[in-house]
Amino acid sequence: MTQNAIELTGLTKTYTARGNQAATHALKGVDLAVPAGSIFGLLGPNGAGKSTMINIMAGLVLKTSGNVRIWGFDQDVNPRQSRAAIGVMPQELNLDPFFSPRASLEVQAGLYGVPKSQRRTDEILDLVGLTDKADAYSRSLSGGMRRRLLLGKALVHTPQVLVLDEPTAGVDIELRQMLWRNVRRLNDQGMTIILTTHYLEEAQEMCDEIAIINHGQVVVRDTTTALLGRLDAKTLVVTPETPPTGPLPSIPNVEVTTRADGRLDFAYRRSLTSPAEILDAVRNASIVLRDVATEEPDLEDVFLSLTSSAG
């Protein structure tokens, strides 16, 4: 087992000029390492370079320069082993409408050179919840079932790395929960998962580490916990026993607002003010506390902060 499932060094991709369009620099010297066995989030706005990076890793797009190693295999030196180590669940529904799920998995396994004795077609159909549709035409499947089949196709050659490109875009809650159960199960078995998503709450819940890419460059890469800790802002939410009759506390560097339900929001910066200072001011204002809670910034706040500042 290698320490890093993915290693990208100085990765660039330039799409040449066509007609009146100038050359596009999709990736600009990306350096990125994805630890083996992790669930790793790759986030960024549309056009940031995420899909280009994934397609290069999968061997579908040729890089302009740089080095790509998948599960320890240099893509230039061992292209077949490199491609065999990664499976990609694409965003687009690229299925043959005349193939059944069973046939689709069998053909995909054959393309990867998996011997018939080693194919796991029935196991994968069960994993993605398509056993009862195994012999139906793909064109008769619902959109959610087609996404399940895409996941199954990405797993036929038992890759060490699984890339999920916007896997839950436009799917219902039940399918989303099923997908995440399967992802966690695969990760528990040792598979490295790379996730791109626009649902930032998913990345916050699922990912051990996250890299944010913008304008073809990695803006930041850190653990999810550390990223959430980058924002200094925090809110102390105070529920008073009775509505305050006097003026609200005035505290330096703290913004105080009242919610419609009567709770008081004290927005502050951790580097300037402590919660103890706020609570002391509340008690000095003769406000009797019923409850106190804190609200942390979420990943969307971090994402917007980093991508706007990098723009």
Side-chain angles (χ1 to χ4, degrees):
M1 180 174 175
T2 181
Q3 181 179 359
N4 289 319
I6 302 285
E7 293 179 355
L8 309 178
T9 308
L11 184 63
T12 71
K13 176 61 182 179
T14 301
Y15 293 100
T16 56
R18 289 187 177 181
N20 296 326
Q21 294 183 340
T24 302
H25 302 287
L27 297 176
K28 307 170 184 176
V30 171
D31 294 323
L32 184 65
V34 177
S38 65
I39 301 180
F40 193 93
L42 184 62
L43 309 182
N46 290 330
K50 304 186 300 298
S51 293
T52 297
M53 187 185 303
I54 289 171
N55 288 332
I56 290 174
M57 289 191 295
L60 301 175
V61 170
L62 295 177
K63 66 183 185 295
T64 301
S65 64
N67 184 259
V68 177
R69 298 181 73 88
I70 311 292
W71 207 248
F73 295 108
D74 189 307
Q75 195 177 69
D76 296 326
V77 179
N78 304 107
R80 293 188 64 180
Q81 292 92 331
S82 173
R83 292 184 186 183
I86 191 169
V88 177
M89 178 184 174
Q91 187 174 349
E92 299 79 16
L93 295 172
N94 54 352
L95 297 171
D96 189 314
F98 297 102
F99 278 16
S100 66
R102 186 187 304 280
S104 294
L105 297 185
E106 285 290 322
V107 169
Q108 188 80 353
L111 293 174
Y112 275 100
V114 180
K116 288 191 175 183
S117 60
Q118 298 178 21
R119 294 179 187 176
R120 303 180 300 121
T121 300
D122 289 336
E123 177 187 337
I124 293 172
L125 286 169
D126 181 61
L127 175 71
V128 299
L130 287 177
T131 299
D132 59 339
K133 297 289 185 179
D135 298 308
Y137 283 128
S138 295
R139 66 175 182 267
S140 69
L141 302 179
S142 67
M145 290 178 179
R146 294 180 188 188
R147 287 210 170 273
R148 298 185 197 190
L149 182 52
L150 288 178
L151 174 60
K153 289 180 66 176
L155 295 172
V156 294
H157 58 297
T158 317
Q160 288 86 357
V161 182
L162 175 64
V163 179
L164 305 173
D165 190 5
E166 300 287 347
T168 58
V171 304
D172 59 38
I173 295 176
E174 182 180 359
L175 175 57
R176 187 174 299 178
Q177 292 176 341
M178 184 276 294
L179 177 66
W180 294 139
R181 284 196 302 271
N182 288 341
V183 166
R184 290 194 184 280
R185 187 185 313 170
L186 292 167
N187 182 247
D188 289 341
Q189 295 170 1
M191 186 175 290
T192 304
I193 311 293
I194 298 177
L195 168 68
T196 78
T197 180
H198 280 92
Y199 298 108
L200 298 184
E201 68 276 10
E202 287 185 348
Q204 185 170 331
E205 180 182 350
M206 294 291 298
C207 298
D208 309 312
E209 298 185 48
I210 290 172
I212 296 177
I213 183 172
N214 197 25
H215 300 299
Q217 297 176 305
V218 175
V219 178
V220 65
R221 182 271 178 125
D222 213 329
T223 64
T224 306
T225 302
L227 277 178
L228 293 173
R230 281 174 173 254
L231 287 186
D232 201 24
K234 196 170 182 178
T235 301
L236 190 72
V237 183
V238 171
T239 304
E241 191 66 46
T242 58
T245 56
L248 296 178
S250 177
I251 310 168
N253 303 309
V254 177
E255 181 182 351
V256 186
T257 56
T258 303
R259 296 189 181 186
D261 60 6
R263 289 184 293 172
L264 305 177
D265 281 0
F266 294 84
Y268 66 100
R269 292 194 171 276
R270 286 174 280 194
S271 59
L272 300 175
T273 308
S274 71
E277 293 177 65
I278 298 173
L279 292 175
D280 285 343
V282 170
R283 294 189 186 96
N284 290 337
S286 299
I287 297 175
V288 180
L289 302 179
R290 179 191 300 172
D291 192 22
V292 177
T294 57
E295 292 183 354
E296 302 277 355
D298 60 21
L299 189 56
E300 183 173 0
D301 298 321
V302 181
F303 179 86
L304 292 173
S305 170
L306 291 168
T307 54
S308 60
S309 63

